[in-house]
Amino acid sequence: MPIQIIRNDITKLNCDAIVNAANSSLLGGGGVDGAIHRAAGPELLEACRKLGGCPTGEARITKGYRLPGKYVIHTVGPVWQGGGRGERELLVSCYRESLRLALEYQCETVAFPLISSGVYGYPKDQALKVAVDTIGEFLLEHELFVYLVIFDRASYTIGEKLFADIRSYIDDRYVELHGDTGRSRSPWEETSSLPPLSSAPFLEEPVVPGEFEEASFDRREPLPAACPAKSSPDAAGKERTAFGKSGLDDALAQIDESFSQMLLRKIDEKGMTDAQCYKRANMDRKLFSKIRGNVWYKPKKQTAVAFAITLELSLEETKELLMKAGFALSHSSKFDIIIEYFIENGNYNVFEINEALFAFDQSLLGA
Ligand code: APR
């Protein structure tokens, strides 16, 4: 999953580079700037002195010194002045310039705070949208893993209207399912605490070990013939089969298109390349090649849903694709209801959906 929104203290993250929301002097300050300098030690300030400052919208790089990561990328966000002074363009530039430096220094993982959303007063939901959109756009063209680090819950708002819309959408469906318990329980009573803060490395999508041979297949070839089922002769010595008259062989011979085959067929139908598909699905290339190389591949539910969203499948097609991976969309799951909300509203933006899932304490789309 090339971009993850996590809640953590950026100074604790063991990434190749962490980004500092600095001021133009680069000589330290409060907020995340102060935290990074405290954690990195005095050598960081010495190194910054030599840089001679940094204009708003640009970025500079130093070593990380006592921080877990190799580098600190210092960027200077715009001070919010109402939105009419080019603040958005400057903020976009902060993310782009920092990402450019990260690539230049061969970083594979980078962590960003929500630049300008603290002391500099940039409205948090707009700051989040700029961050997610700019990073997401960059990742369509480049291989990098990015953490967007939300330090405190207050920094994380997805916009009141969207939040209220989703909340009532969930309430309508969730209660209907749970109404028959004699007490219409809102899902909010059960809200568990936020998912554990994770700075864990990106999880590989587990291929079911040993269960299927690594099958390479051409998506236009019919499924490999199922292995002939063993049947045992009954007392009269006749072949007795497990599946009534037609037998297991016939049943298996009618096996449906697999998840992988339907996915690859849909990519073709949409005229997309594999790379366009997995990047928009917030997936990495390694995972996709596993899916492509194994006709029996079993994805996680979030992965299957991410592909359905990327391919902009209708609700029915989404349910069909999920069913091929052994899943269903259920009204007893807030995650599923939120996915249904976005599909019903024709919004297939993976990053916006992840913002909403995060705001409702649900796991995110992707690997
Ligand atoms: N880890 C991750 N994020 C953090 C941390 C931390 N340890 N500490 C603060 N943040 C978050 C804040 O919650 C906010 O969402 O970083 C975001 C940016 O807030 P600021 O640090 O205030 O940065 P900014 O709004 O860009 O203002 C920059 O503040 O600290 C001074 O020297 C800095 O003058 C500069 C100005």
Side-chain angles (χ1 to χ4, degrees), residues 40-58:
E43 302 92 330
L44 180 62
L45 185 57
E46 282 318 302
C48 287
R49 281 193 209 290
K50 295 174 185 145
L51 294 174
C54 175
T56 300
E58 293 190 19

Side-chain angles (χ1 to χ4, degrees), residues 148-192:
L148 185 55
V149 187
I150 308 294
F151 186 59
D152 51 58
R153 190 138 192 78
S155 321
Y156 194 84
T157 59
I158 56 169
E160 294 314 314
K161 170 143 180 12
L162 176 58
F163 193 96
D165 273 0
I166 298 173
R167 184 170 186 148
S168 60
Y169 190 87
I170 292 174
D171 272 344
D172 294 348
R173 285 151 187 78
Y174 198 89
V175 166
E176 136 202 327
L177 195 93
H178 294 267
D180 56 8
T181 54
R183 181 172 78 85
S184 64
R185 186 180 52 201
S186 152
W188 315 112
E189 290 162 33
E190 296 169 358
T191 303
S192 56

Side-chain angles (χ1 to χ4, degrees), residues 113-132:
L114 220 42
I115 299 164
S116 282
S117 69
V119 168
Y120 280 2
Y122 208 105
K124 296 185 189 302
D125 58 336
Q126 293 182 50
L128 177 70
K129 187 151 178 42
V130 169
V132 169

